[in-house]
Amino acid sequence: TSGAAYLPQSIEGGDANPESQSDGIQIVGTQARLAVIENLRLSSPVITPNGDGVNDLISIGFDLFGVEGAPVSVEVFDLSGRRVATVSDGSLGAGRHQPVWAGQGPENAVVPPGLYVIRIQADVDKGSFTRVVPVSVTY
């Protein structure tokens, strides 16, 4: 017994199709998935930029794969879609990156409490790749 009794679909020995000459499985895909931005993570889901030394900054970690000097931007948007901060904007290579946002918007003013979206975008030969993650700002 291999634990098959606990599976949602029964497993029975034998050929699924008598015309098949193989007992193996082959999965064919039409297009390989290109992963450029992976392992997106925040040091905290909440930032509290009130100067008390606890979560005043948020680290935005991500890994880039298969790029050499690609334009990459890390920006923060409010829920209306307005960009409130550009955390990082420049050419980055493959590897781990960790820019930091201090909860500041235009003219280095602290943004109001609320929900924001951090967007990472890499422009490579195969197109633009984007990842987003929400972050809360509270005091």
Side-chain angles (χ1 to χ4, degrees):
T1 66
S2 64
Y6 298 104
L7 296 176
Q9 182 176 352
S10 65
I11 299 174
E12 300 174 12
D15 292 333
N17 182 343
E19 296 176 8
S20 174
Q21 300 298 316
S22 171
D23 62 355
I25 186 170
Q26 181 180 17
I27 299 173
V28 179
T30 58
Q31 183 178 8
R33 179 178 176 262
L34 177 63
V36 174
I37 305 168
E38 289 292 329
N39 302 322
L40 176 56
R41 61 215 168 271
L42 300 178
S43 58
S44 171
V46 177
I47 182 172
T48 58
N50 56 9
D52 67 356
V54 179
N55 290 335
D56 286 338
L57 304 172
I58 191 165
S59 174
I60 307 159
F62 60 94
D63 297 330
L64 289 178
F65 293 99
V67 297
E68 292 181 27
V72 177
S73 64
V74 179
E75 300 170 303
V76 181
F77 294 85
D78 64 17
L79 293 184
S80 71
R82 183 177 62 99
R83 184 179 61 226
V84 296
T86 300
V87 179
S88 175
D89 189 21
S91 182
L92 297 176
R96 179 170 290 163
H97 301 278
Q98 235 169 332
V100 174
W101 182 47
Q104 296 175 331
E107 300 176 18
N108 294 328
V110 177
V111 298
L115 188 60
Y116 293 84
V117 176
I118 296 172
R119 180 183 78 182
I120 302 166
Q121 182 171 323
D123 296 320
V124 297
D125 293 343
K126 298 284 185 180
S128 288
F129 292 84
T130 304
R131 297 285 307 270
V132 296
V133 63
V135 63
S136 296
V137 176
T138 61
Y139 299 105

